[in-house]
């Protein structure tokens, strides 16, 4: 029991970036745009946050928080590429997102070579400090994000308009809703949150950014959106499930019975096996917004 309770701070640490990213992915898909670039946008945010902190931590006490802001803003800036391709040019959204993932990998390594003369950032001296009970502030950030997402989607007129754009953009446009504008806002919001999540991850789970820092967290967040049925409560539960699986794969070395029963590589695969099983189980379910992934062209254009 003590071991399980001791896992709670680690679970929340791992869950927070996944949940923040999943919230952005849900907003994006509820508007009708699929964003599989979450992995790359997280990488952009993680690199930008880490680089900002490394360069400023000696002279600026609040460089971690500035780094989070810079990571979020640059994540949003890179998501503009996906928004322009998918919304304005009506490009295939899967291809566009894949391109950003590949671009992010190259851009972060290139920028690291320019700034630090190696394929990663220099290590920072101090990461984010945990608060009471060993829980990082990123858990509070994730809570604020998911509650804010729920409030916007279900308690504000803008949320109703956004959901209408993801279900029937033609009908939404017929009553005066600016479909393209709302989709742009949704994609940029997902980029902002993914960049923020990347910063949260790098400041709590490592001491520098490398090409392996994100390590599939963006794809897990994308799976959490599907597994969570595109609803705030659902993606919260699925993010907790996936985050707990990741934390368990790390903590299993402290459980002698399981450590001796199966090789450690089995537990390292567990989070990804659970993600794949979740996708398989829900692949035939029609919970996605009806217009998700479908381009919208204004009448008469």
């Amino acid at each position: 029991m003590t071991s399980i309770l001791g896992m709670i701070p680690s679970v929340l640490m791992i869950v927070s970036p996944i949940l923040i990213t999943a919230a952005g992915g849900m907003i994006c898909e509820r508007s009708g745009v699929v964003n599989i670039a979450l992995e790359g946008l997280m990488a952009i945010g993680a690199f930008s946050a880490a680089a900002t902190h490394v360069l400023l931590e000696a002279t600026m006490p609040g460089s971690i928080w500035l780094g989070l802001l810079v990571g979020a803003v640059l994540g949003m800036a890179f998501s503009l590429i996906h928004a322009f391709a998918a919304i304005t040019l009506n490009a295939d959204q899967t291809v566009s997102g894949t391109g950003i993932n590949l671009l992010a990998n190259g851009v972060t390594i290139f920028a690291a070579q320019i700034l630090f003369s190696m394929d990663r950032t220099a290590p920072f001296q101090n990461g984010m400090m945990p608060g009471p009970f060993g829980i990082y502030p990123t858990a509070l950030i994730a809570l604020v994000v998911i509650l804010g997402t729920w409030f916007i989607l279900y308690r504000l007129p803008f949320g109703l308009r956004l959901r209408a754009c993801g279900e029937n953009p033609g009908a939404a446009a017929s009553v005066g809703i600016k479909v393209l504008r709302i989709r742009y806002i949704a994609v940029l919001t997902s980029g902002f949150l993914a960049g923020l999540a990347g910063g949260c991850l790098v400041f709590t789970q490592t001491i520098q950014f490398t090409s392996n820092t994100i390590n599939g967290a963006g794809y897990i967040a994308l799976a959490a959106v599907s597994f969570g049925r595109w609803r705030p409560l659902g993606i919260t539960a699925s993010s907790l499930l996936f985050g707990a699986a990741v934390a368990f794969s790390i903590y299993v070395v402290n459980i002698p019975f399981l450590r001796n029963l199966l090789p450690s590589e089995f537990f390292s695969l567990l989070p990804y096996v659970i993600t794949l099983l979740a996708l398989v189980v829900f692949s035939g379910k029609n919970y996605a917004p009806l217009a998700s992934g479908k381009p919208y062209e204004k009448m008469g254009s």
Side-chain angles (χ1 to χ4, degrees), residues 124-145:
F124 35 81
Q125 299 301 312
N126 299 296
M128 186 176 290
M129 298 300 295
F133 308 107
I135 297 175
Y136 285 94
T138 52
L140 179 60
I141 295 173
L143 179 62
V144 170
V145 166

Side-chain angles (χ1 to χ4, degrees), residues 34-262:
V34 173
N35 191 357
I36 69 167
L38 297 177
E39 178 86 0
L41 296 173
M42 285 186 74
I44 293 292
F47 169 80
S48 304
T52 300
H53 181 47
V54 168
L55 296 174
L56 296 178
E57 68 174 327
T59 58
M60 184 176 179
S63 58
I64 283 182
W65 302 105
L66 178 61
L68 289 178
L69 178 60
V70 171
V73 170
L74 287 182
M76 181 172 66
F78 266 78
S79 70
L80 184 60
I81 301 172
H82 182 52
F84 181 73
I87 301 171
T88 301
L89 301 181
N90 289 329
D92 185 288
Q93 296 172 14
T94 301
V95 174
S96 174
T98 302
I100 291 178
N101 287 334
L102 296 173
L103 177 65
N105 186 55
V107 165
T108 52
I109 293 176
F110 177 74
Q113 288 284 359
I114 296 296
L115 293 174
F116 305 104
S117 300
M118 53 184 175
D119 63 350
R120 61 194 64 200
T121 66
F124 35 81
Q125 299 301 312
N126 299 296
M128 186 176 290
M129 298 300 295
F133 308 107
I135 297 175
Y136 285 94
T138 52
L140 179 60
I141 295 173
L143 179 62
V144 170
V145 166
I146 197 63
L147 289 177
T149 299
W150 170 83
F151 184 79
I152 291 170
L153 285 179
Y154 297 103
R155 290 295 182 267
L156 294 182
F158 176 81
L160 178 61
R161 298 188 189 108
L162 184 144
R163 288 184 285 128
C165 292
E167 295 293 341
N168 193 329
S174 70
V175 295
I177 296 175
K178 305 294 185 182
V179 175
L180 300 185
R181 179 187 300 174
I182 286 180
R183 287 189 170 184
Y184 259 93
I185 293 172
V187 175
L188 293 179
T189 300
S190 72
F192 183 91
L193 292 178
L196 174 64
C200 290
L201 189 154
V202 77
F203 286 147
T204 57
Q205 299 181 33
T206 183
I207 60 169
Q208 65 182 154
F209 172 84
T210 72
S211 59
N212 296 321
T213 293
I214 304 304
N215 197 30
Y219 295 119
I220 291 177
L222 190 64
V225 174
S226 176
F227 191 39
R229 301 184 182 183
W230 291 265
R231 296 180 181 275
L233 182 60
I235 67 169
T236 301
S238 56
S239 296
L240 283 169
L241 172 64
F242 297 144
V246 174
F248 179 74
S249 69
I250 297 171
Y251 266 77
V252 73
V253 296
N254 299 319
I255 305 175
F257 170 72
L258 292 177
R259 183 181 60 201
N260 297 328
L261 181 65
L262 294 167

